[in-house]
Amino acid sequence: MTDSTWLNRDHQLVPGKELFRSERWFHLLAYTASHSQLLMRSVGRPDEPGEPETTIDLLFKPVTVVKIRDNHRGLAIRCATEAESAQVKAEHASVSFDRDDHVFVLESQGESDYVVAMAVGWTEGVLGHTQQSFFSHVDPGRPIWPSRPLAGVDPGLTIASTRDLVEALSAEESVTIRRERHRFVHVVMTRVIRPDGPAVTGAGVFLTRADAENALAAITARSVDCWIEELPIAV
């Protein structure tokens, strides 16, 4: 079960109002230029005694300006006062702010940062070991496992090395290991027209594109409709 909050309306974002407070550690997890999303996380460790069971994912979007540290020990978020908001925007005179842009002040251990964005929200719950974040969802148009905490431009930082993949394949099974990295595999897909309709199936999975293309050529020679799809394998 998860608890979620999303704040993007003027009556929710009153100047000076505190929106969120927690004594837990938070770190900067991800940023994507797609929709200018910034994600922070407090990690849950349900298998470790004395540690928080739940994970908290905290999302700002779309982000216009950000001044933030990589981690916060205890975190409070409030809407900036009108004077604070004016000061922050004055410091970034070259930026064209939208009327819906809000200045969110992040306070931790007596120091302040800020994020200028249209909305902020968070979700708290037990994060599945193959779930990248509470804000990473399957795209109905391309239903594959989301391999990143946020959809959008991928810098490739979560792509595992070949050694990581080999170690994952040879390690004893553990359902508690978080699957935060991946390697892409190449799947040769085929479509065969049958009396009851087309049958689409995978003909083989290959670690390299070159091997998949070799298999594709052999299958195509038999006049079968086929193509290559890339899928992430969780490591």
Side-chain angles (χ1 to χ4, degrees):
M1 183 176 180
T2 59
D3 293 322
S4 297
T5 299
W6 189 249
L7 306 174
N8 63 347
R9 303 292 185 182
D10 287 343
H11 72 274
Q12 299 171 319
L13 304 173
V14 178
K17 179 181 179 181
E18 183 173 285
L19 306 173
F20 176 87
R21 178 175 291 273
S22 174
E23 299 305 315
R24 293 171 54 165
W25 281 85
F26 286 81
H27 67 275
L28 179 60
L29 179 67
Y31 174 82
T32 176
S34 302
H35 304 291
S36 299
Q37 301 177 88
L38 185 147
L39 182 63
M40 300 176 66
R41 171 173 292 173
S42 177
V43 179
R45 297 182 173 88
D47 300 309
E48 298 183 21
E51 294 294 329
E53 179 180 2
T54 59
T55 290
I56 304 175
D57 279 348
L58 181 65
L59 181 70
F60 298 88
K61 67 176 288 190
V63 173
T64 305
V65 173
V66 59
K67 174 185 173 291
I68 193 172
R69 284 163 284 167
D70 63 348
N71 66 84
H72 297 77
R73 184 177 181 179
L75 178 64
I77 301 174
R78 62 176 174 84
C79 295
T81 64
E82 292 183 358
E84 289 172 326
S85 181
Q87 180 179 347
V88 168
K89 292 180 179 180
E91 292 173 355
H92 302 278
S94 62
V95 177
S96 297
F97 292 100
D98 192 280
R99 77 162 298 275
D100 293 326
D101 281 330
H102 296 271
V103 178
F104 299 100
V105 179
L106 284 64
E107 298 176 326
S108 179
Q109 296 186 298
E111 297 183 356
S112 298
D113 295 325
Y114 58 81
V115 176
V116 182
M118 290 187 180
V120 61
W122 55 89
T123 297
E124 179 174 1
V126 176
L127 192 69
H129 68 281
T130 62
Q131 191 175 3
Q132 298 305 300
S133 82
F134 292 119
F135 296 99
S136 181
H137 307 292
V138 174
D139 181 357
R142 191 168 183 260
I144 63 173
W145 172 66
S147 58
R148 304 186 300 276
L150 295 172
V153 178
D154 180 16
L157 300 179
T158 58
I159 296 180
S161 68
T162 303
R163 180 177 179 179
D164 292 331
L165 178 59
V166 171
E167 289 179 351
L169 292 173
S170 60
E172 293 183 3
E173 183 178 3
S174 175
V175 297
T176 62
I177 297 175
R178 279 207 52 76
R179 306 300 180 182
E180 296 179 333
R181 294 171 299 164
H182 67 281
R183 294 282 294 185
F184 282 105
V185 294
H186 308 273
V187 184
V188 177
M189 302 294 296
T190 64
R191 180 187 291 108
V192 178
I193 304 301
R194 303 187 185 280
D196 57 347
V200 177
T201 187
V205 182
F206 302 87
L207 293 179
T208 69
R209 181 85 186 187
D211 288 345
E213 289 176 346
N214 283 337
L216 181 74
I219 297 172
T220 303
R222 305 291 294 181
S223 299
V224 175
D225 181 18
C226 58
W227 64 96
I228 297 172
E229 292 186 3
E230 287 190 350
L231 295 176
I233 177 172
V235 176

